[in-house]
Amino acid sequence: MYINIGWLYPDLMNTYGDRGNIIALSYRAKIMGIEPTVNKISINEPADLISKMDIIFMGGAQDKQQEIVNKDLKIKGVYLKKAINDGVPGLYVCGAYQFLGKYYKEANGNIIDGIGVFDLYTESPGPDVPRCIGNIVIESKLFPKIKLVGFENHGGRTYFANKKQAFATVINGYGNNGEDKTEGFFYKNSFGTYLHGPILPKNPELADYLIKKAVEHKMINNVGVGRDRPIKLKRIDNTWENKARDFVISKL
Ligand code: GLN
């Protein structure tokens, strides 16, 4: 079995090691017995390529790059919104996460439109208010046995009314806005989060979750595999990943 991993704007949206998420997804999929193909989708690629993806990833960026991507998302955003609404699993970090909401107001007051697939908005309080920077520890009901770790660096504060849609609760750090203890957003099979780090090598359970959802989604839609042929994914030993994560948590 194969999966298509779509990496949106790798040349523009890729900060604080976010590319490690693509490495983790590909590496773990291979061990599980799936053949991954990484498809870089940036400004020069056709928008409908997004419709062929089984997992989508987009990383963070500074405001300048977000302004460039914003223009291109006027077209690609239609395909991205459809993929997310159709349940294609995805991970959207920091600047990418902000794009999925209604808008992002930059520190200088400029408004960057979002594609509005997540019911949220993001505002930067301005250049005089400190950014949310540091290591972060969160807890998510989706992964009840573990704490997840990462690194955040964002000026934008994200808000939404329905707290049940948060990906996680903040144990240590800022998360969505530094006020309500929520971190990220979860909708259909898509995660928005402020966790760089990169998040997937540090928290392999999330990588595996996305891969499993991609397989499920492919089978439901009967693309490439028969519905009647469930495939058994190989389990991966996470001893060293867990030790690394425990070490980070013990330091905070
Ligand atoms: N420009 C956004 C902010 O500062 C996103 C930063 C990022 O992706 N690291 O809020």
Side-chain angles (χ1 to χ4, degrees), residues 135-156:
N135 288 310
I136 171 165
V137 182
I138 59 171
E139 232 167 23
S140 173
K141 287 202 178 96
L142 287 167
F143 305 99
K145 295 195 183 115
I146 55 162
K147 291 184 174 62
L148 297 103
V149 299
F151 168 77
E152 59 182 328
N153 183 350
H154 51 106

Side-chain angles (χ1 to χ4, degrees), residues 15-16 60-63 66 94-95 98 104 131 153-156 196:
T15 45
Y16 313 117
Q62 299 310 314
D63 292 4
Q66 281 181 251
C94 204
Q98 295 170 350
Y104 164 48
R131 294 173 66 81
N153 183 350
H154 51 106
H196 298 277

Side-chain angles (χ1 to χ4, degrees), residues 42-246:
S42 193
I43 290 183
N44 292 324
E45 277 67 51
D48 62 357
L49 197 51
I50 294 173
S51 322
K52 300 191 174 78
M53 297 303 117
D54 302 306
I55 299 183
I56 299 172
F57 169 70
M58 184 167 161
Q62 299 310 314
D63 292 4
K64 190 132 202 72
Q65 287 80 25
Q66 281 181 251
E67 284 169 23
I68 300 168
V69 169
N70 182 32
K71 294 195 185 102
D72 197 58
L73 270 182
K74 297 268 180 280
I75 299 156
K76 288 200 177 77
V78 176
Y79 291 84
L80 181 56
K81 195 169 178 175
K82 182 171 185 329
I84 292 172
N85 276 327
D86 285 351
V88 175
L91 174 67
Y92 304 86
V93 177
C94 204
Y97 168 36
Q98 295 170 350
F99 268 132
L100 301 191
K102 292 184 185 118
Y103 68 89
Y104 164 48
K105 188 169 158 206
E106 294 178 90
N108 63 10
N110 183 35
I111 303 270
I112 295 182
D113 302 323
I115 66 169
V117 66
F118 287 179
D119 191 9
L120 56 82
Y121 65 92
T122 303
E123 294 188 346
S124 171
D128 302 331
V129 180
R131 294 173 66 81
C132 304
I133 305 176
N135 288 310
I136 171 165
V137 182
I138 59 171
E139 232 167 23
S140 173
K141 287 202 178 96
L142 287 167
F143 305 99
K145 295 195 183 115
I146 55 162
K147 291 184 174 62
L148 297 103
V149 299
F151 168 77
E152 59 182 328
N153 183 350
H154 51 106
R157 271 71 166 173
T158 297
Y159 300 94
F160 47 86
N162 183 0
K163 306 287 179 261
K164 284 198 183 124
Q165 289 195 276
F167 163 37
T169 304
V170 176
I171 307 292
N172 228 291
Y174 299 93
N176 282 325
N177 47 55
E179 294 162 29
D180 64 14
K181 297 268 169 213
T182 63
E183 204 301 306
F185 198 83
F186 180 61
Y187 171 70
K188 302 273 175 132
N189 289 322
S190 288
F191 295 85
T193 180
Y194 276 110
L195 271 67
H196 298 277
I199 183 172
L200 295 185
K202 284 190 167 174
N203 307 284
E205 295 81 0
L206 180 54
D208 296 355
Y209 183 96
L210 291 166
I211 295 166
K212 280 177 196 154
K213 286 289 168 193
V215 171
E216 261 175 49
H217 188 260
K218 247 183 125 116
M219 295 189 75
I220 289 165
N221 292 286
N222 219 351
V223 190
V225 282
R227 259 173 199 270
D228 49 344
R229 285 191 289 128
I231 73 157
K232 183 133 180 57
L233 300 175
K234 252 180 105 183
R235 264 198 82 245
I236 305 178
D237 176 14
N238 288 334
T239 306
W240 289 102
E241 287 82 351
N242 287 333
K243 276 188 203 284
R245 182 166 48 202
D246 288 347

Side-chain angles (χ1 to χ4, degrees), residues 31-48:
I31 301 181
M32 286 174 165
I34 298 164
E35 200 43 57
T37 304
V38 176
N39 304 264
K40 293 182 177 174
I41 307 174
S42 193
I43 290 183
N44 292 324
E45 277 67 51
D48 62 357

